[in-house]
Amino acid sequence: MSNSVPDTGTASASASTGASASTGAYASTAASAFTSAGLLHLAVALVGAGWHPAAWREPGARPDALFTAGYWADLVAEAERGLLDFVTFEDSLGRQSSDPSGPDDRTDRVSGRLDAVLTAARVAPLTRHVGLVPTVVATHTEPFHASKALATLDYVSAGRAGLRVRVSGRPDEARHFGRRRFPDPRTAGPDTAAGRELAAGLFAEAADYVEVVRRLWDSWEDDAEIRDVATGRFVDRAKLHYVDFEGRHFNVKGPSITPRPPQGQPPVSALAHGPGTHPLLATSTDLGYLTPRNADEARTAVAQVRAARTAAGRAGEPLHLFGDLVVFLDAEPGAARARLERLDARAGEPYRSDAKVFAGTPAQLADLLQEWRAAGLTGFRLRPGVLAHDLPAVTRDLVPELQRRGAFRTVYGAPTLRGLLGLSRPASRYATAV
């Protein structure tokens, strides 16, 4: 039974020379392997002035420019200078807070942020190679909107878009929308039955969200656009398809209003802290971010996610697993640790993170990355503690160190994000096999 959108036009189909751009100049170069042996993949996570709450007070931080396009363009250009695979843009549905359960009253931290997808779209034309991966909060938002926004970003960037999906269980964020109520995290924390039930529901919703997004990306076949001036027929509506998704969280008819993205499907990623979040990585993503504290934890987490992938029937499908680290880098031994202590004193408390906090030299970080690579991770997403200092330290000091060791690329080898990650371009699930 066909789920294509009926073509009510009378003009005959034409063997057009104007097939969809997604199969032409934007098409991803076929990857010869999932990842080159021994080579690391590297990304950076961009947020505010950096991941340390006192970063905005450091020399060169440019707090007056945080909400300008030029600020973000400069950061992404620096990442591209270092040949990084991609950058991620943080986003949320509430202001930054030191309290995970809700807003705080602090005024000494960066507060407010730009929309991640719009920021990525603004800087995309100013770059040529680096992938652009904005964060989208699946909770409270609609997958239809996300699918067309990311498809648009993929066109604007010529095939360099990705999606990082996250969830939110904060009651204050739910109140922005007024459709749902969540329990107070202080009484329904992650170690309580109510907290575990809430988290399971949010991640199940996120899995449905990603499935709808992927179906919408596929709802236009690659050659759905005919663009035949002679017959006056722009699109072959037989190659637009209803997605007909009916689930617990969403009922979406489709098709999308945006043609299939240049990459077919931009890579989807998510952050996972433990076994409760591994099913989302296993069933729904192309790339997962893990937060181990040492090589043994990395090995265990990788094995758990791979096992979940196998249990989901997707063992043969590639899945990158990146380690997340907050990094403070200085050339002189001890300097990064001293700088972190000075930042902590300025913030009034020690910095804590969900990920390992590394403070040392680029060579020491290179040692750690190669050790964790041997534990099964295929790459790393680094969170610069102070963007003005630690992002250039990554691109100008760490990257050359890894290159000297033969552990990182020396040129960009593919025009798309999927190509950089060694992921082949998938066919639309709705296309008729020839």
Side-chain angles (χ1 to χ4, degrees), residues 1-4 23 214-215 217-224 238-242 260 265 425-434:
M1 180 172 124
S2 172
N3 67 342
S4 63
T23 59
R214 288 189 185 276
R215 291 193 189 194
W217 284 338
D218 281 352
S219 65
W220 289 55
E221 295 185 37
D222 288 325
D223 56 352
K239 296 189 176 183
L240 273 62
H241 301 273
Y242 297 122
R260 195 161 192 248
Q265 292 192 9
R425 187 180 187 277
S428 166
R429 71 190 70 194
Y430 302 111
T432 303
V434 178

Side-chain angles (χ1 to χ4, degrees), residues 25-260:
Y26 293 155
S28 171
T29 301
S32 60
F34 173 54
T35 185
S36 300
L39 293 183
L40 298 172
H41 292 279
L42 281 181
V44 290
L46 304 179
V47 61
W51 286 82
H52 195 286
W56 68 277
R57 302 168 69 182
E58 287 292 283
R62 300 167 62 193
D64 57 333
L66 290 180
F67 303 110
T68 67
Y71 174 82
W72 295 96
D74 290 346
L75 294 177
V76 177
E78 184 62 39
E80 188 166 82
R81 172 192 176 117
L83 306 177
L84 303 188
D85 291 74
F86 60 90
V87 300
T88 61
F89 301 85
E90 295 299 303
D91 210 346
S92 68
L93 301 176
R95 290 190 298 108
Q96 298 91 324
S97 175
S98 59
D99 181 354
S101 66
D104 61 21
D105 295 324
R106 299 192 70 145
T107 59
D108 62 341
R109 312 278 175 97
V110 170
S111 183
R113 62 173 98 236
L114 301 179
D115 181 89
V117 176
L118 295 178
T119 301
R122 176 63 182 85
V123 303
L126 306 178
T127 56
R128 295 180 56 199
H129 304 288
V130 68
L132 305 169
V133 183
T135 298
V136 173
V137 183
T139 317
H140 309 302
T141 67
E142 295 295 331
F144 184 88
H145 295 149
S147 72
K148 69 185 184 70
L150 268 295
T152 300
L153 176 60
D154 210 37
Y155 277 103
V156 171
S157 65
R160 293 181 287 119
L163 166 63
R164 181 205 162 199
V165 65
R166 57 165 297 194
V167 303
S168 169
R170 280 175 45 169
D172 62 303
E173 295 184 1
R175 287 193 291 270
H176 292 323
F177 300 88
R179 296 194 295 263
R180 303 161 73 175
R181 291 186 178 182
F182 290 150
D184 188 331
R186 289 168 292 193
T187 58
D191 296 327
T192 67
R196 288 191 291 270
E197 181 180 3
L198 172 62
L202 292 173
F203 283 105
E205 179 183 39
D208 276 3
Y209 190 100
V210 172
E211 177 64 18
V212 174
V213 167
R214 288 189 185 276
R215 291 193 189 194
L216 288 167
W217 284 338
D218 281 352
S219 65
W220 289 55
E221 295 185 37
D222 288 325
D223 56 352
E225 297 164 75
I226 301 170
R227 306 177 187 174
D228 193 319
V229 174
T231 64
R233 197 159 181 252
F234 188 88
V235 66
D236 181 353
R237 289 190 63 189
K239 296 189 176 183
L240 273 62
H241 301 273
Y242 297 122
V243 303
D244 289 326
F245 183 90
E246 294 186 9
R248 176 183 173 188
H249 306 284
F250 306 102
N251 291 304
V252 178
K253 185 70 174 177
S256 176
I257 63 169
T258 307
R260 195 161 192 248

